[in-house]
Amino acid sequence: MRAADTRPFLNGMCYVYEFTKGMVPPERAAALMRALNVKSVRSWSHITWLLKDPDTADKEHCGEFHRVYALLRECGVEQLVGMSHTWFYPKDCPNVPGDAFSVPRRDMAEGSVYRRFLDMYERAWQTLAAEFPEITYWETGNEQNHDPFLHPLDYTADPEKNKFTLREKAEISCDMMLYAARGIKRANPSAHIIQPGMAPIGEHGLGVVADNVRVDYAGMEQTMKAIYEIIESGQCGSSDPRDYFDSLCWHPYYARQMADGSWKWQVPDDAWVEMNNAIYQVAVDHGDDGIDCYFSEFGYNDFGDGATDHELVEHVLTGTEIIREKMPYVASVHAYRMFEMLDVADTLDTYAFFHVDQDGSIHPKERVYALQRAYGGTLPL
């Protein structure tokens, strides 16, 4: 039985239109989604891309995204998940230009820079959700347990010293989830809120950014536990988890450290299932049994090497099968990601399933055929 036969949104894909539109026309991207039988798309829909300020949508730019979403719908995509992990700042907030992921230190005093930042954040999410009624699922952030994606305003001055603790990141994430959900629900009361996907790292782990392989699942457990404890305390303004999120979310990248100290991608197995189950058990232990979960990023980096891509076919096939058969709480898996593109610091992201030449020629990698098989797609790529 294929994924699409059991849970309709398991067949997911990550798609960054903004960074690939100059290489791959959205019509072509949508057609490839149809060929793969993709039913859910996680779309980078950043607040600072699509809004001029917290209260004003950039109608021209938003128009491009409306067209993309219509094309995806026409090609069989049934679930659109909008995700943003950027934000605006108060004018007197001393953020570093170019650092899009810094926030003021937590200070809930009335009129503080932090409180005004949160107020702007809530208004921006309301404006974004109101502009895009076709998006009914929103992931309100990305890897906020990971220092590069959530850090103090002075982080870039000394990234090794100027960091939030795990607890501080969890507290700030809870504030941001609550304010984002309020804004979205005000615009669309029936919207479904997905927790920002956690990275598989610990307190200050290197995670997948540093060497693209290293993982720490215990860190996700600790973060999930902290989130529930903070919510239950009521310190953010509500003790009801549904005021923060309707679904859990994390990124289950999987690797192990070898005897020589190196890290290697692993084929998903029962040990991997147990590590993911342990994270979900935190929710169960806090009375949230039955909540579903999104794996909003799941994939492997081939480092531009064809032999590695060939090896990863087994990883893709086994991973999708195990999720379908042994993780009933998973509602959707977004394969990371559709097209190679220049990402952070102009590095080529080779996690992607399609290589794109400078002239726009698209080359399917070997493992995309494995993904198509797992998804039940039959059309030519």
Side-chain angles (χ1 to χ4, degrees):
M1 185 176 290
R2 297 191 304 269
D5 297 328
T6 54
R7 283 163 277 170
F9 302 144
L10 273 182
N11 295 3
M13 179 62 73
C14 290
Y15 177 41
V16 191
Y17 163 71
E18 185 70 11
F19 285 169
T20 59
K21 62 184 181 182
M23 305 183 299
V24 181
E27 294 86 352
R28 178 66 175 137
L32 288 170
M33 300 274 193
R34 184 196 292 278
L36 289 169
N37 197 31
V38 167
K39 295 302 178 184
S40 177
V41 169
R42 181 196 194 218
S43 170
W44 274 241
S45 309
H46 287 332
I47 282 170
T48 52
W49 289 351
L50 296 169
L51 307 185
K52 295 180 178 180
D53 58 55
D55 306 300
T56 312
D58 183 335
K59 292 294 186 179
E60 182 175 355
H61 201 177
C62 288
E64 293 181 39
F65 279 72
H66 286 302
R67 179 170 174 270
V68 169
Y69 297 145
L71 288 168
L72 291 174
R73 290 287 194 189
E74 290 171 8
C75 286
V77 172
E78 298 172 0
Q79 182 190 53
L80 296 171
V81 177
M83 186 278 295
S84 172
H85 60 90
T86 67
W87 41 78
F88 293 110
Y89 298 90
K91 289 183 178 179
D92 59 342
C93 182
N95 63 300
V96 177
D99 180 6
F101 311 126
S102 64
V103 299
R105 290 193 176 270
R106 191 171 191 269
D107 176 5
M108 294 304 290
E110 191 69 33
S112 69
V113 172
Y114 182 72
R115 277 290 296 275
R116 287 183 283 120
F117 158 75
L118 288 176
D119 289 340
M120 294 178 73
Y121 191 63
E122 179 177 344
R123 285 159 39 211
W125 273 108
Q126 179 178 351
T127 304
L128 190 66
E131 174 64 30
F132 289 96
E134 65 267 48
I135 296 180
T136 52
Y137 292 78
W138 291 99
E139 182 184 352
T140 57
N142 177 70
E143 298 193 349
Q144 292 179 343
N145 65 323
H146 195 358
D147 292 330
F149 290 105
L150 187 68
H151 48 252
L153 297 171
D154 58 356
Y155 175 77
T156 56
D158 189 347
E160 292 304 310
K161 178 182 177 183
N162 302 332
K163 304 175 182 179
F164 293 126
T165 65
L166 184 149
R167 184 77 180 190
E168 287 173 329
K169 282 180 282 192
E171 288 177 335
I172 292 168
S173 292
C174 284
D175 287 333
M176 294 176 72
M177 284 190 282
L178 180 64
Y179 279 70
R182 284 176 178 170
I184 293 167
K185 295 282 190 179
R186 191 174 295 116
N188 181 359
S190 63
H192 188 99
I193 310 299
I194 301 169
Q195 184 184 66
M198 291 187 294
I201 63 164
E203 178 96 19
H204 297 301
L206 296 176
V208 293
V209 167
D211 59 14
N212 293 305
V213 182
R214 190 165 302 164
V215 298
D216 177 356
Y217 276 63
M220 290 197 283
E221 271 190 78
Q222 293 162 8
T223 297
M224 189 70 80
K225 183 179 179 182
I227 286 170
Y228 272 101
E229 289 175 348
I230 291 163
I231 291 172
E232 289 166 356
S233 76
Q235 70 183 72
C236 296
S238 171
S239 58
D240 183 354
R242 292 299 79 77
D243 288 335
Y244 298 79
F245 50 81
D246 299 306
S247 294
L248 307 176
C249 188
W250 63 86
H251 299 161
Y253 295 104
Y254 187 36
R256 286 196 184 121
Q257 192 168 27
M258 302 293 103
D260 63 0
S262 65
W263 289 77
K264 184 177 180 180
W265 291 121
Q266 296 296 300
V267 177
D269 53 18
D270 285 343
W272 180 70
V273 173
E274 290 172 7
M275 289 191 294
N276 284 288
N277 287 350
I279 302 167
Y280 187 79
Q281 185 63 40
V282 174
V284 175
D285 292 344
H286 287 267
D288 226 352
D289 192 6
I291 189 171
D292 62 16
C293 173
Y294 282 67
F295 288 172
S296 63
E297 290 182 16
F298 178 54
Y300 301 92
N301 193 338
D302 61 30
F303 306 102
D305 178 66
T308 301
D309 177 41
H310 175 75
E311 291 176 4
L312 293 175
V313 166
E314 181 184 4
H315 298 59
V316 171
L317 286 172
T318 304
T320 52
E321 181 179 3
I322 282 182
I323 290 168
R324 182 173 64 248
E325 294 183 352
K326 297 186 177 183
M327 298 183 186
Y329 51 84
V330 177
S332 186
V333 182
H334 293 101
Y336 187 84
R337 55 186 151 181
M338 191 75 172
F339 302 112
E340 284 185 356
M341 49 176 249
L342 291 179
D343 203 344
V344 180
D346 288 335
T347 3
L348 185 65
D349 183 340
T350 50
Y351 281 84
F353 286 86
F354 293 90
H355 173 76
V356 184
D357 290 336
Q358 289 187 345
D359 65 1
S361 302
I362 300 171
H363 305 279
K365 297 183 180 181
E366 188 172 350
R367 68 184 182 278
V368 78
Y369 293 101
L371 188 72
Q372 183 183 41
R373 176 181 165 191
Y375 282 3
T378 58
L379 298 175
L381 295 175

